[in-house]
Amino acid sequence: MSPFPSSAPRADAWRHLRVTTEDGVATVTLARPEKLNALTFGAYADLRDLLAQLSRERSVRALVLAGEGRGFCSGGDVDEIIGATLSMDTAQLLDFNRMTGQVVRAIRECPFPVIAAVHGVAAGAGAVLALASDFRVADPSARFAFLFTKVGLSGGDMGAAYLLPRVVGLGHATRLLMLGEAVRAPEAERIGLISELTDEGHADARAAELARRLADGPALALAQTKALLTAELDMPLAASVELDASTQALLMKGEDYAEFHAAFTEKRPPKWQGR
């Protein structure tokens, strides 16, 4: 995303999310615990715009996405979204579905790692938000369910049919997207859907530790690694190798590359600048 701002005002408050930032780490909490953090139109829009704003400002070096209460996110609110979409025309429905996809793209394209801290249910759109994140840190209570076919919709919602086979393989993705059955933490870890399984109740703390580690690292190198992981998913090897070469050549002119050599020579930890 481009760092150049427009004339639109910066948002300092987010009505549908709880956002805190500390020393380069943002924590974004879905905070409707009484509804298992079910998403609303406003929550989708806030996530889309928040990620765009943070990407432009370049002040955040890692982001934790978490859910308050008994679970991570139960998906779209049955009354406020599913009920409301029944009265929409095709143009409105297309606008809504494009917006949900824009959230996933924003997670994948933002220039900092996103860590989903998952406990309890991650269902429907909640499962896709976790899937789109760079890391999924979960405790044993976590269960993922891609429920779209169970409400009469395609399992390929919000980019799930693109992302899930690349994370767990086509066979597992077919089963999860077609049947919509819940996958509990042990199986999710076995098939690669979970990046790290923590002790009970420790997902948030471990996600925060990982975010701190990433935020203290070479931000530009991590941003380019994320960009290449996304861009090269659909590239042939020759194009990927050429893109890698161009990226490395640019990074080799950066301050962090020179800082590593200086730190190695002086036998001290590097002081990364993200440049």
Side-chain angles (χ1 to χ4, degrees):
M1 297 184 184
S2 169
F4 299 102
S6 69
S7 56
R10 179 187 188 277
D12 293 314
W14 302 92
R15 187 169 42 169
H16 305 283
L17 307 168
R18 187 167 70 245
V19 182
T20 60
T21 305
E22 183 177 353
D23 194 20
V25 175
T27 302
V28 179
T29 305
L30 306 174
R32 298 181 76 211
E34 73 285 357
K35 292 286 190 78
L36 273 175
N37 302 316
L39 297 165
T40 62
F41 295 117
Y44 279 118
D46 272 6
L47 277 170
R48 175 199 62 197
D49 294 349
L50 170 65
L51 288 162
Q53 179 171 296
L54 294 177
S55 297
R56 288 192 303 270
E57 293 178 348
R58 303 293 169 98
S59 59
V60 164
R61 301 187 299 278
L63 183 146
V64 175
L65 181 61
E68 182 180 325
R70 295 180 294 115
F72 175 71
C73 177
S74 59
D77 189 287
V78 173
D79 296 320
E80 295 192 37
I81 287 188
I82 296 178
T85 53
L86 293 175
S87 61
M88 290 183 176
D89 62 28
T90 302
Q92 292 171 317
L93 291 170
L94 185 56
D95 284 342
F96 165 64
N97 283 285
R98 282 176 170 161
M99 176 176 67
T100 66
Q102 287 165 358
V103 174
V104 169
R105 286 190 58 186
I107 293 172
R108 295 304 317 143
E109 294 173 5
C110 63
F112 43 80
V114 176
I115 305 107
V118 182
H119 70 286
V121 66
V128 183
L129 292 180
L131 173 66
S133 299
D134 300 291
F135 298 88
R136 285 159 297 284
V137 176
D139 80 2
S141 70
R143 59 190 188 278
F144 300 82
F146 297 86
L147 297 173
F148 306 108
T149 59
K150 291 198 168 186
V151 301
L153 297 176
S154 164
D157 193 35
M158 297 172 62
Y162 177 89
L163 291 170
L164 194 58
R166 289 162 168 81
V167 173
V168 303
L170 180 60
H172 290 306
T174 300
R175 173 171 58 93
L176 298 183
L177 294 182
M178 286 195 174
L179 299 180
E181 295 175 347
V183 179
R184 296 189 177 274
E187 183 186 2
E189 182 185 32
R190 178 179 64 81
I191 66 177
L193 186 54
I194 288 177
S195 308
E196 180 179 342
L197 185 61
T198 73
D199 292 334
E200 187 80 32
H202 285 74
D204 285 355
R206 178 60 189 134
E209 291 175 5
L210 178 57
R212 179 76 272 147
R213 175 183 174 184
L214 291 163
D216 289 342
L220 184 57
L222 294 175
Q224 291 305 308
T225 301
K226 176 173 181 172
L228 292 181
L229 283 168
T230 298
E232 293 182 16
L233 285 172
D234 299 312
M235 283 186 180
L237 177 60
S240 296
V241 169
E242 180 62 24
L243 182 57
D244 288 350
S246 300
T247 301
Q248 297 295 53
L250 290 170
L251 290 175
M252 284 174 177
K253 297 296 288 183
E255 293 180 20
D256 279 350
Y257 187 63
E259 167 60 14
F260 165 76
H261 184 264
F264 182 84
T265 302
E266 297 167 14
K267 296 181 172 54
R268 60 171 175 80
K271 298 175 182 176
W272 304 116
Q273 300 298 314
R275 295 193 291 270

